[in-house]
Amino acid sequence: MENETPRTEAEKDRIAYEKVDAGTVQESLAYAAKKSGRSVLQLAREFSKLSRGPNKIAISEYIRWGLFYEDRFTEKQRGEFISNTTHWPIAHTCNNQGWSSAAEDKVLAATILSRGGVSVPETVAVIDASARIYPGIMKISTPDELRDLILGLNCEKLFGKIVDGMVSFGVFSVVSADENHIVCAGHEPMTYADFMSSNIGENAYILQKTLNNHADIAPFCSALATVRVVNFVKDGTVYSPIAVMSMPQGAQIADTLWRSGNIACEIDVSTGEVKTVVTREGPEIAFLKDHPTVAGWMGKKLPCWDALMEMNERAARIFSPIRYQSTDIAITDAGPVIVELNYGSGFGLPQNASGRGLLTLEVRAFFEECGVSFDAKEKSKFKLFGK
């Protein structure tokens, strides 16, 4: 409609994200039947069992993970996949919910981590028109204040993200500016007033100096890549069952896999070696033999891996009341930098990247010990961490 209020970039991203897995159950089952040669009735029965079970698999996940292929998984392996829709209930059951804002508010998390001796990106300001004060951090609320800040940094590249945002909605990268215009990657120059209206809107943004990938990683990415380490904290021990690297490609400035062309990789937690390379291919995850454009990524050992895991453990211990958590860590020439610490960790990314279900006996045992209820008849007797 002509009179419709223009959406912010965050709203546009949310709409694009929702369209990625927008197929109906009927459309998805018809797709699966065509791809697998199985009947729609067979697939409907199988999907119904998975969706109504304790793991609550959604139709988009049934397709994305290829669970409809009869010969790819045993029944036990299918049963280890868990829907991302269960993430928040499980996270809230496992964690001290009072710590949720400490992790999900990026200003608070960066402040706590930095005071705890963990490397984080340098914050230069927060853009926020509300009454909130940010102790020790410059707050800007007007187009003129934004202009003065950016010009005062002598064209330092900046990255902005919503203070309490998720899934990279609305992120922007400032690449240049002058007295009248700001230029963000992927956008035409705009006035500071237009930028505040169309990009920022009513959101609060943290503005940080742009980080660059380590020289060994830079040729394989278009912008900053991050390693997500999933952490379970129990009895003074930090257990990390899986690590995944998200990598922006092409014109993308954010690394999330829902963005077109991006890739994700499972990383061996012990060695830091790249084990898989995946991308989105229509509604499915596609496993590649190597990086799609630059050979030599598969099997590569990531730099600074021991330092990354040490920093991950320190961050996990600082936030130990969040027993189920994850860190997103960039690897720079100066070493690892924790970009975010997450209250929980979405189940989609590790399963997308590995092609395996996350709900192994060990992981399930941890959740059950935290009070999560699965099928009582199949309650795991596995002891966490192999003890």
Side-chain angles (χ1 to χ4, degrees), residues 106-143:
K106 295 175 177 56
V107 177
L108 287 176
T111 301
I112 295 169
L113 289 168
S114 179
R115 290 296 298 270
V118 173
S119 295
V120 297
E122 181 179 347
T123 296
V124 299
V126 173
I127 307 173
D128 189 354
S130 77
R132 182 176 175 182
I133 294 173
Y134 298 84
I137 301 174
M138 179 186 294
K139 175 186 172 183
I140 57 179
S141 305
T142 69

PDB file of all heavy atoms in Angstrom, residues 106-143:
ATOM      1  N   LYS A 106      23.039  -7.011  25.001  1.00  0.00           N
ATOM      2  CA  LYS A 106      24.425  -7.048  24.534  1.00  0.00           C
ATOM      3  C   LYS A 106      25.324  -6.067  25.270  1.00  0.00           C
ATOM      4  O   LYS A 106      26.531  -6.303  25.403  1.00  0.00           O
ATOM      5  CB  LYS A 106      24.460  -6.811  23.028  1.00  0.00           C
ATOM      6  CG  LYS A 106      23.786  -7.931  22.243  1.00  0.00           C
ATOM      7  CD  LYS A 106      23.711  -7.640  20.761  1.00  0.00           C
ATOM      8  CE  LYS A 106      23.108  -8.810  19.983  1.00  0.00           C
ATOM      9  NZ  LYS A 106      21.777  -9.210  20.456  1.00  0.00           N
ATOM     10  N   VAL A 107      24.772  -4.979  25.761  1.00  0.00           N
ATOM     11  CA  VAL A 107      25.575  -4.033  26.531  1.00  0.00           C
ATOM     12  C   VAL A 107      25.942  -4.633  27.873  1.00  0.00           C
ATOM     13  O   VAL A 107      27.105  -4.582  28.302  1.00  0.00           O
ATOM     14  CB  VAL A 107      24.816  -2.701  26.704  1.00  0.00           C
ATOM     15  CG1 VAL A 107      25.630  -1.750  27.580  1.00  0.00           C
ATOM     16  CG2 VAL A 107      24.545  -2.060  25.353  1.00  0.00           C
ATOM     17  N   LEU A 108      24.964  -5.204  28.569  1.00  0.00           N
ATOM     18  CA  LEU A 108      25.242  -5.835  29.856  1.00  0.00           C
ATOM     19  C   LEU A 108      26.230  -6.986  29.708  1.00  0.00           C
ATOM     20  O   LEU A 108      27.179  -7.111  30.486  1.00  0.00           O
ATOM     21  CB  LEU A 108      23.938  -6.351  30.479  1.00  0.00           C
ATOM     22  CG  LEU A 108      22.972  -5.311  31.038  1.00  0.00           C
ATOM     23  CD1 LEU A 108      21.703  -6.003  31.521  1.00  0.00           C
ATOM     24  CD2 LEU A 108      23.614  -4.529  32.168  1.00  0.00           C
ATOM     25  N   ALA A 109      25.998  -7.851  28.726  1.00  0.00           N
ATOM     26  CA  ALA A 109      26.869  -9.015  28.543  1.00  0.00           C
ATOM     27  C   ALA A 109      28.306  -8.595  28.263  1.00  0.00           C
ATOM     28  O   ALA A 109      29.251  -9.149  28.841  1.00  0.00           O
ATOM     29  CB  ALA A 109      26.338  -9.886  27.407  1.00  0.00           C
ATOM     30  N   ALA A 110      28.490  -7.621  27.370  1.00  0.00           N
ATOM     31  CA  ALA A 110      29.845  -7.163  27.039  1.00  0.00           C
ATOM     32  C   ALA A 110      30.522  -6.552  28.262  1.00  0.00           C
ATOM     33  O   ALA A 110      31.726  -6.751  28.491  1.00  0.00           O
ATOM     34  CB  ALA A 110      29.788  -6.157  25.896  1.00  0.00           C
ATOM     35  N   THR A 111      29.768  -5.813  29.072  1.00  0.00           N
ATOM     36  CA  THR A 111      30.332  -5.195  30.275  1.00  0.00           C
ATOM     37  C   THR A 111      30.787  -6.245  31.264  1.00  0.00           C
ATOM     38  O   THR A 111      31.901  -6.186  31.811  1.00  0.00           O
ATOM     39  CB  THR A 111      29.297  -4.265  30.921  1.00  0.00           C
ATOM     40  OG1 THR A 111      28.911  -3.253  29.991  1.00  0.00           O
ATOM     41  CG2 THR A 111      29.866  -3.612  32.174  1.00  0.00           C
ATOM     42  N   ILE A 112      29.937  -7.250  31.490  1.00  0.00           N
ATOM     43  CA  ILE A 112      30.277  -8.311  32.444  1.00  0.00           C
ATOM     44  C   ILE A 112      31.474  -9.122  31.957  1.00  0.00           C
ATOM     45  O   ILE A 112      32.403  -9.409  32.716  1.00  0.00           O
ATOM     46  CB  ILE A 112      29.059  -9.221  32.677  1.00  0.00           C
ATOM     47  CG1 ILE A 112      27.936  -8.437  33.363  1.00  0.00           C
ATOM     48  CG2 ILE A 112      29.441 -10.448  33.514  1.00  0.00           C
ATOM     49  CD1 ILE A 112      26.610  -9.175  33.383  1.00  0.00           C
ATOM     50  N   LEU A 113      31.463  -9.496  30.692  1.00  0.00           N
ATOM     51  CA  LEU A 113      32.567 -10.288  30.143  1.00  0.00           C
ATOM     52  C   LEU A 113      33.880  -9.522  30.194  1.00  0.00           C
ATOM     53  O   LEU A 113      34.933 -10.066  30.563  1.00  0.00           O
ATOM     54  CB  LEU A 113      32.249 -10.707  28.711  1.00  0.00           C
ATOM     55  CG  LEU A 113      31.154 -11.760  28.539  1.00  0.00           C
ATOM     56  CD1 LEU A 113      30.740 -11.879  27.079  1.00  0.00           C
ATOM     57  CD2 LEU A 113      31.618 -13.121  29.074  1.00  0.00           C
ATOM     58  N   SER A 114      33.840  -8.249  29.814  1.00  0.00           N
ATOM     59  CA  SER A 114      35.057  -7.441  29.812  1.00  0.00           C
ATOM     60  C   SER A 114      35.634  -7.305  31.217  1.00  0.00           C
ATOM     61  O   SER A 114      36.852  -7.455  31.418  1.00  0.00           O
ATOM     62  CB  SER A 114      34.750  -6.053  29.234  1.00  0.00           C
ATOM     63  OG  SER A 114      35.910  -5.248  29.235  1.00  0.00           O
ATOM     64  N   ARG A 115      34.769  -7.079  32.202  1.00  0.00           N
ATOM     65  CA  ARG A 115      35.244  -6.981  33.583  1.00  0.00           C
ATOM     66  C   ARG A 115      35.762  -8.323  34.074  1.00  0.00           C
ATOM     67  O   ARG A 115      36.562  -8.380  35.012  1.00  0.00           O
ATOM     68  CB  ARG A 115      34.112  -6.487  34.492  1.00  0.00           C
ATOM     69  CG  ARG A 115      33.711  -5.038  34.283  1.00  0.00           C
ATOM     70  CD  ARG A 115      34.836  -4.067  34.615  1.00  0.00           C
ATOM     71  NE  ARG A 115      35.216  -4.146  36.001  1.00  0.00           N
ATOM     72  CZ  ARG A 115      34.670  -3.407  36.974  1.00  0.00           C
ATOM     73  NH1 ARG A 115      33.719  -2.537  36.677  1.00  0.00           N
ATOM     74  NH2 ARG A 115      35.086  -3.527  38.217  1.00  0.00           N
ATOM     75  N   GLY A 116      35.320  -9.393  33.440  1.00  0.00           N
ATOM     76  CA  GLY A 116      35.780 -10.727  33.813  1.00  0.00           C
ATOM     77  C   GLY A 116      37.030 -11.176  33.082  1.00  0.00           C
ATOM     78  O   GLY A 116      37.432 -12.330  33.191  1.00  0.00           O
ATOM     79  N   GLY A 117      37.647 -10.274  32.331  1.00  0.00           N
ATOM     80  CA  GLY A 117      38.896 -10.606  31.653  1.00  0.00           C
ATOM     81  C   GLY A 117      38.735 -11.308  30.326  1.00  0.00           C
ATOM     82  O   GLY A 117      39.670 -11.946  29.839  1.00  0.00           O
ATOM     83  N   VAL A 118      37.561 -11.167  29.718  1.00  0.00           N
ATOM     84  CA  VAL A 118      37.285 -11.797  28.421  1.00  0.00           C
ATOM     85  C   VAL A 118      37.316 -10.729  27.328  1.00  0.00           C
ATOM     86  O   VAL A 118      36.764  -9.638  27.504  1.00  0.00           O
ATOM     87  CB  VAL A 118      35.904 -12.485  28.444  1.00  0.00           C
ATOM     88  CG1 VAL A 118      35.518 -12.990  27.065  1.00  0.00           C
ATOM     89  CG2 VAL A 118      35.910 -13.638  29.445  1.00  0.00           C
ATOM     90  N   SER A 119      37.939 -11.032  26.202  1.00  0.00           N
ATOM     91  CA  SER A 119      38.002 -10.083  25.094  1.00  0.00           C
ATOM     92  C   SER A 119      36.646  -9.950  24.421  1.00  0.00           C
ATOM     93  O   SER A 119      36.013 -10.956  24.067  1.00  0.00           O
ATOM     94  CB  SER A 119      39.029 -10.541  24.056  1.00  0.00           C
ATOM     95  OG  SER A 119      40.335 -10.526  24.604  1.00  0.00           O
ATOM     96  N   VAL A 120      36.193  -8.706  24.238  1.00  0.00           N
ATOM     97  CA  VAL A 120      34.931  -8.412  23.559  1.00  0.00           C
ATOM     98  C   VAL A 120      35.178  -7.281  22.561  1.00  0.00           C
ATOM     99  O   VAL A 120      36.180  -6.568  22.661  1.00  0.00           O
ATOM    100  CB  VAL A 120      33.830  -7.998  24.568  1.00  0.00           C
ATOM    101  CG1 VAL A 120      33.521  -9.143  25.524  1.00  0.00           C
ATOM    102  CG2 VAL A 120      34.221  -6.734  25.337  1.00  0.00           C
ATOM    103  N   PRO A 121      34.289  -7.077  21.584  1.00  0.00           N
ATOM    104  CA  PRO A 121      34.465  -5.961  20.653  1.00  0.00           C
ATOM    105  C   PRO A 121      34.434  -4.624  21.393  1.00  0.00           C
ATOM    106  O   PRO A 121      33.764  -4.481  22.426  1.00  0.00           O
ATOM    107  CB  PRO A 121      33.262  -6.092  19.708  1.00  0.00           C
ATOM    108  CG  PRO A 121      32.800  -7.508  19.858  1.00  0.00           C
ATOM    109  CD  PRO A 121      33.098  -7.888  21.265  1.00  0.00           C
ATOM    110  N   GLU A 122      35.127  -3.634  20.839  1.00  0.00           N
ATOM    111  CA  GLU A 122      35.142  -2.306  21.461  1.00  0.00           C
ATOM    112  C   GLU A 122      33.850  -1.567  21.143  1.00  0.00           C
ATOM    113  O   GLU A 122      33.535  -1.310  19.983  1.00  0.00           O
ATOM    114  CB  GLU A 122      36.335  -1.502  20.971  1.00  0.00           C
ATOM    115  CG  GLU A 122      36.433  -0.124  21.601  1.00  0.00           C
ATOM    116  CD  GLU A 122      37.635   0.677  21.127  1.00  0.00           C
ATOM    117  OE1 GLU A 122      38.531   0.074  20.488  1.00  0.00           O
ATOM    118  OE2 GLU A 122      37.670   1.898  21.385  1.00  0.00           O
ATOM    119  N   THR A 123      33.115  -1.196  22.168  1.00  0.00           N
ATOM    120  CA  THR A 123      31.878  -0.446  21.999  1.00  0.00           C
ATOM    121  C   THR A 123      32.189   1.047  21.999  1.00  0.00           C
ATOM    122  O   THR A 123      32.883   1.541  22.900  1.00  0.00           O
ATOM    123  CB  THR A 123      30.888  -0.770  23.135  1.00  0.00           C
ATOM    124  OG1 THR A 123      30.523  -2.154  23.060  1.00  0.00           O
ATOM    125  CG2 THR A 123      29.623   0.079  23.028  1.00  0.00           C
ATOM    126  N   VAL A 124      31.676   1.752  20.994  1.00  0.00           N
ATOM    127  CA  VAL A 124      31.927   3.197  20.910  1.00  0.00           C
ATOM    128  C   VAL A 124      30.716   4.008  21.330  1.00  0.00           C
ATOM    129  O   VAL A 124      30.857   5.163  21.749  1.00  0.00           O
ATOM    130  CB  VAL A 124      32.388   3.608  19.493  1.00  0.00           C
ATOM    131  CG1 VAL A 124      33.689   2.917  19.134  1.00  0.00           C
ATOM    132  CG2 VAL A 124      31.324   3.292  18.454  1.00  0.00           C
ATOM    133  N   ALA A 125      29.529   3.438  21.225  1.00  0.00           N
ATOM    134  CA  ALA A 125      28.323   4.180  21.602  1.00  0.00           C
ATOM    135  C   ALA A 125      27.118   3.262  21.560  1.00  0.00           C
ATOM    136  O   ALA A 125      27.176   2.139  21.041  1.00  0.00           O
ATOM    137  CB  ALA A 125      28.100   5.364  20.664  1.00  0.00           C
ATOM    138  N   VAL A 126      26.029   3.744  22.111  1.00  0.00           N
ATOM    139  CA  VAL A 126      24.727   3.126  21.957  1.00  0.00           C
ATOM    140  C   VAL A 126      23.796   4.158  21.349  1.00  0.00           C
ATOM    141  O   VAL A 126      23.779   5.314  21.764  1.00  0.00           O
ATOM    142  CB  VAL A 126      24.157   2.632  23.306  1.00  0.00           C
ATOM    143  CG1 VAL A 126      22.720   2.141  23.139  1.00  0.00           C
ATOM    144  CG2 VAL A 126      25.026   1.520  23.872  1.00  0.00           C
ATOM    145  N   ILE A 127      23.049   3.751  20.327  1.00  0.00           N
ATOM    146  CA  ILE A 127      22.033   4.613  19.729  1.00  0.00           C
ATOM    147  C   ILE A 127      20.704   4.262  20.384  1.00  0.00           C
ATOM    148  O   ILE A 127      20.235   3.130  20.263  1.00  0.00           O
ATOM    149  CB  ILE A 127      21.943   4.405  18.208  1.00  0.00           C
ATOM    150  CG1 ILE A 127      23.321   4.567  17.553  1.00  0.00           C
ATOM    151  CG2 ILE A 127      20.939   5.367  17.587  1.00  0.00           C
ATOM    152  CD1 ILE A 127      23.333   4.201  16.074  1.00  0.00           C
ATOM    153  N   ASP A 128      20.124   5.217  21.101  1.00  0.00           N
ATOM    154  CA  ASP A 128      18.917   4.915  21.870  1.00  0.00           C
ATOM    155  C   ASP A 128      18.187   6.219  22.186  1.00  0.00           C
ATOM    156  O   ASP A 128      18.773   7.136  22.779  1.00  0.00           O
ATOM    157  CB  ASP A 128      19.286   4.181  23.166  1.00  0.00           C
ATOM    158  CG  ASP A 128      18.075   3.643  23.914  1.00  0.00           C
ATOM    159  OD1 ASP A 128      16.936   3.929  23.492  1.00  0.00           O
ATOM    160  OD2 ASP A 128      18.284   2.941  24.914  1.00  0.00           O
ATOM    161  N   ALA A 129      16.929   6.307  21.802  1.00  0.00           N
ATOM    162  CA  ALA A 129      16.126   7.502  22.064  1.00  0.00           C
ATOM    163  C   ALA A 129      15.320   7.380  23.348  1.00  0.00           C
ATOM    164  O   ALA A 129      14.588   8.303  23.707  1.00  0.00           O
ATOM    165  CB  ALA A 129      15.187   7.773  20.883  1.00  0.00           C
ATOM    166  N   SER A 130      15.442   6.266  24.061  1.00  0.00           N
ATOM    167  CA  SER A 130      14.667   6.070  25.292  1.00  0.00           C
ATOM    168  C   SER A 130      15.334   6.787  26.460  1.00  0.00           C
ATOM    169  O   SER A 130      16.365   7.447  26.312  1.00  0.00           O
ATOM    170  CB  SER A 130      14.538   4.582  25.597  1.00  0.00           C
ATOM    171  OG  SER A 130      15.750   4.071  26.142  1.00  0.00           O
ATOM    172  N   ALA A 131      14.766   6.609  27.650  1.00  0.00           N
ATOM    173  CA  ALA A 131      15.305   7.253  28.847  1.00  0.00           C
ATOM    174  C   ALA A 131      16.496   6.499  29.442  1.00  0.00           C
ATOM    175  O   ALA A 131      17.132   6.992  30.378  1.00  0.00           O
ATOM    176  CB  ALA A 131      14.204   7.375  29.909  1.00  0.00           C
ATOM    177  N   ARG A 132      16.813   5.334  28.926  1.00  0.00           N
ATOM    178  CA  ARG A 132      17.864   4.513  29.522  1.00  0.00           C
ATOM    179  C   ARG A 132      19.220   5.207  29.457  1.00  0.00           C
ATOM    180  O   ARG A 132      19.584   5.837  28.462  1.00  0.00           O
ATOM    181  CB  ARG A 132      17.947   3.161  28.810  1.00  0.00           C
ATOM    182  CG  ARG A 132      18.998   2.216  29.392  1.00  0.00           C
ATOM    183  CD  ARG A 132      18.983   0.862  28.713  1.00  0.00           C
ATOM    184  NE  ARG A 132      20.068   0.024  29.187  1.00  0.00           N
ATOM    185  CZ  ARG A 132      20.332  -1.209  28.743  1.00  0.00           C
ATOM    186  NH1 ARG A 132      19.530  -1.758  27.831  1.00  0.00           N
ATOM    187  NH2 ARG A 132      21.353  -1.897  29.225  1.00  0.00           N
ATOM    188  N   ILE A 133      19.979   5.072  30.524  1.00  0.00           N
ATOM    189  CA  ILE A 133      21.353   5.566  30.605  1.00  0.00           C
ATOM    190  C   ILE A 133      22.288   4.361  30.553  1.00  0.00           C
ATOM    191  O   ILE A 133      22.005   3.312  31.134  1.00  0.00           O
ATOM    192  CB  ILE A 133      21.575   6.355  31.913  1.00  0.00           C
ATOM    193  CG1 ILE A 133      20.734   7.635  31.906  1.00  0.00           C
ATOM    194  CG2 ILE A 133      23.059   6.683  32.105  1.00  0.00           C
ATOM    195  CD1 ILE A 133      20.770   8.377  33.227  1.00  0.00           C
ATOM    196  N   TYR A 134      23.425   4.519  29.885  1.00  0.00           N
ATOM    197  CA  TYR A 134      24.417   3.451  29.750  1.00  0.00           C
ATOM    198  C   TYR A 134      25.705   3.912  30.430  1.00  0.00           C
ATOM    199  O   TYR A 134      26.533   4.581  29.806  1.00  0.00           O
ATOM    200  CB  TYR A 134      24.661   3.128  28.282  1.00  0.00           C
ATOM    201  CG  TYR A 134      23.427   2.615  27.562  1.00  0.00           C
ATOM    202  CD1 TYR A 134      22.477   3.495  27.030  1.00  0.00           C
ATOM    203  CD2 TYR A 134      23.207   1.258  27.422  1.00  0.00           C
ATOM    204  CE1 TYR A 134      21.349   3.023  26.380  1.00  0.00           C
ATOM    205  CE2 TYR A 134      22.068   0.775  26.770  1.00  0.00           C
ATOM    206  CZ  TYR A 134      21.146   1.668  26.254  1.00  0.00           C
ATOM    207  OH  TYR A 134      20.026   1.197  25.612  1.00  0.00           O
ATOM    208  N   PRO A 135      25.908   3.574  31.704  1.00  0.00           N
ATOM    209  CA  PRO A 135      27.084   4.072  32.423  1.00  0.00           C
ATOM    210  C   PRO A 135      28.387   3.732  31.716  1.00  0.00           C
ATOM    211  O   PRO A 135      28.639   2.583  31.349  1.00  0.00           O
ATOM    212  CB  PRO A 135      26.983   3.360  33.774  1.00  0.00           C
ATOM    213  CG  PRO A 135      25.525   3.071  33.945  1.00  0.00           C
ATOM    214  CD  PRO A 135      25.035   2.758  32.560  1.00  0.00           C
ATOM    215  N   GLY A 136      29.203   4.776  31.519  1.00  0.00           N
ATOM    216  CA  GLY A 136      30.506   4.589  30.897  1.00  0.00           C
ATOM    217  C   GLY A 136      30.487   4.467  29.389  1.00  0.00           C
ATOM    218  O   GLY A 136      31.549   4.303  28.769  1.00  0.00           O
ATOM    219  N   ILE A 137      29.316   4.515  28.766  1.00  0.00           N
ATOM    220  CA  ILE A 137      29.196   4.382  27.313  1.00  0.00           C
ATOM    221  C   ILE A 137      28.458   5.595  26.758  1.00  0.00           C
ATOM    222  O   ILE A 137      27.424   6.003  27.298  1.00  0.00           O
ATOM    223  CB  ILE A 137      28.435   3.100  26.933  1.00  0.00           C
ATOM    224  CG1 ILE A 137      29.147   1.868  27.493  1.00  0.00           C
ATOM    225  CG2 ILE A 137      28.283   2.976  25.418  1.00  0.00           C
ATOM    226  CD1 ILE A 137      28.392   0.567  27.277  1.00  0.00           C
ATOM    227  N   MET A 138      28.970   6.161  25.686  1.00  0.00           N
ATOM    228  CA  MET A 138      28.308   7.294  25.052  1.00  0.00           C
ATOM    229  C   MET A 138      26.946   6.874  24.513  1.00  0.00           C
ATOM    230  O   MET A 138      26.813   5.834  23.876  1.00  0.00           O
ATOM    231  CB  MET A 138      29.164   7.828  23.896  1.00  0.00           C
ATOM    232  CG  MET A 138      28.531   9.010  23.161  1.00  0.00           C
ATOM    233  SD  MET A 138      29.487   9.498  21.695  1.00  0.00           S
ATOM    234  CE  MET A 138      30.986  10.074  22.474  1.00  0.00           C
ATOM    235  N   LYS A 139      25.954   7.695  24.775  1.00  0.00           N
ATOM    236  CA  LYS A 139      24.610   7.454  24.247  1.00  0.00           C
ATOM    237  C   LYS A 139      24.278   8.562  23.264  1.00  0.00           C
ATOM    238  O   LYS A 139      24.432   9.744  23.572  1.00  0.00           O
ATOM    239  CB  LYS A 139      23.579   7.428  25.376  1.00  0.00           C
ATOM    240  CG  LYS A 139      22.135   7.299  24.887  1.00  0.00           C
ATOM    241  CD  LYS A 139      21.159   7.434  26.048  1.00  0.00           C
ATOM    242  CE  LYS A 139      19.735   7.512  25.552  1.00  0.00           C
ATOM    243  NZ  LYS A 139      18.762   7.718  26.643  1.00  0.00           N
ATOM    244  N   ILE A 140      23.823   8.188  22.065  1.00  0.00           N
ATOM    245  CA  ILE A 140      23.424   9.171  21.072  1.00  0.00           C
ATOM    246  C   ILE A 140      21.980   8.920  20.676  1.00  0.00           C
ATOM    247  O   ILE A 140      21.536   7.772  20.605  1.00  0.00           O
ATOM    248  CB  ILE A 140      24.358   9.153  19.838  1.00  0.00           C
ATOM    249  CG1 ILE A 140      24.409   7.775  19.217  1.00  0.00           C
ATOM    250  CG2 ILE A 140      25.753   9.606  20.216  1.00  0.00           C
ATOM    251  CD1 ILE A 140      25.289   7.703  17.981  1.00  0.00           C
ATOM    252  N   SER A 141      21.258  10.013  20.424  1.00  0.00           N
ATOM    253  CA  SER A 141      19.824   9.902  20.183  1.00  0.00           C
ATOM    254  C   SER A 141      19.356  10.650  18.948  1.00  0.00           C
ATOM    255  O   SER A 141      18.198  10.495  18.548  1.00  0.00           O
ATOM    256  CB  SER A 141      19.043  10.429  21.404  1.00  0.00           C
ATOM    257  OG  SER A 141      19.441   9.771  22.576  1.00  0.00           O
ATOM    258  N   THR A 142      20.211  11.456  18.341  1.00  0.00           N
ATOM    259  CA  THR A 142      19.784  12.289  17.223  1.00  0.00           C
ATOM    260  C   THR A 142      20.678  12.071  16.015  1.00  0.00           C
ATOM    261  O   THR A 142      21.825  11.609  16.147  1.00  0.00           O
ATOM    262  CB  THR A 142      19.835  13.778  17.600  1.00  0.00           C
ATOM    263  OG1 THR A 142      21.215  14.178  17.745  1.00  0.00           O
ATOM    264  CG2 THR A 142      19.079  14.045  18.897  1.00  0.00           C
ATOM    265  N   PRO A 143      20.197  12.424  14.817  1.00  0.00           N
ATOM    266  CA  PRO A 143      21.034  12.315  13.612  1.00  0.00           C
ATOM    267  C   PRO A 143      22.325  13.128  13.717  1.00  0.00           C
ATOM    268  O   PRO A 143      23.391  12.656  13.281  1.00  0.00           O
ATOM    269  CB  PRO A 143      20.122  12.863  12.513  1.00  0.00           C
ATOM    270  CG  PRO A 143      18.739  12.612  12.997  1.00  0.00           C
ATOM    271  CD  PRO A 143      18.806  12.805  14.475  1.00  0.00           C
TER     272      PRO A 143
END
